[in-house]
Amino acid sequence: LETGPSPAEMMILNELVAELLSQFSERRRRILEMLLDGHEVKDIVAAVGTTQRTIYNTRQAARKLLESRITSD
């Protein structure tokens, strides 16, 4: 029976997310945080005052950073 990540795994994940977010501007960090919290794109557009394209580009940039981080380990 799967119980989810251990406290140590959560700490590692939180550190990785913080490291990745630190590489973005405050605005892009807010976009990513809202995405991680499960907000819909239309809600992020309204809250941040940006376009859907910016949100998709930000998500793609974060994905590329995460992929490069994973493959470099």
Side-chain angles (χ1 to χ4, degrees):
L1 184 66
E2 186 87 19
T3 61
S6 70
E9 291 169 329
M10 282 304 299
M11 187 174 75
I12 292 168
L13 179 60
N14 287 334
E15 289 173 2
L16 177 60
V17 169
E19 177 187 327
L20 290 172
L21 290 176
S22 72
Q23 298 180 50
F24 290 93
S25 68
E26 184 176 334
R27 182 176 188 212
R28 291 183 96 184
R29 271 195 307 272
R30 184 165 180 220
I31 291 168
L32 291 167
E33 288 167 348
M34 290 184 77
L35 286 168
L36 288 170
D37 286 340
H39 292 274
E40 292 188 25
V41 171
K42 65 181 176 123
D43 298 328
I44 301 170
V45 165
V48 177
T50 191
T51 64
Q52 287 184 355
R53 184 173 191 87
T54 297
I55 294 168
Y56 295 130
N57 288 341
T58 300
R59 182 171 44 200
Q60 183 64 22
R63 181 178 291 124
K64 286 181 181 179
L65 272 175
L66 181 57
E67 288 172 354
S68 69
R69 173 73 162 74
I70 290 170
T71 57
S72 70
D73 285 346

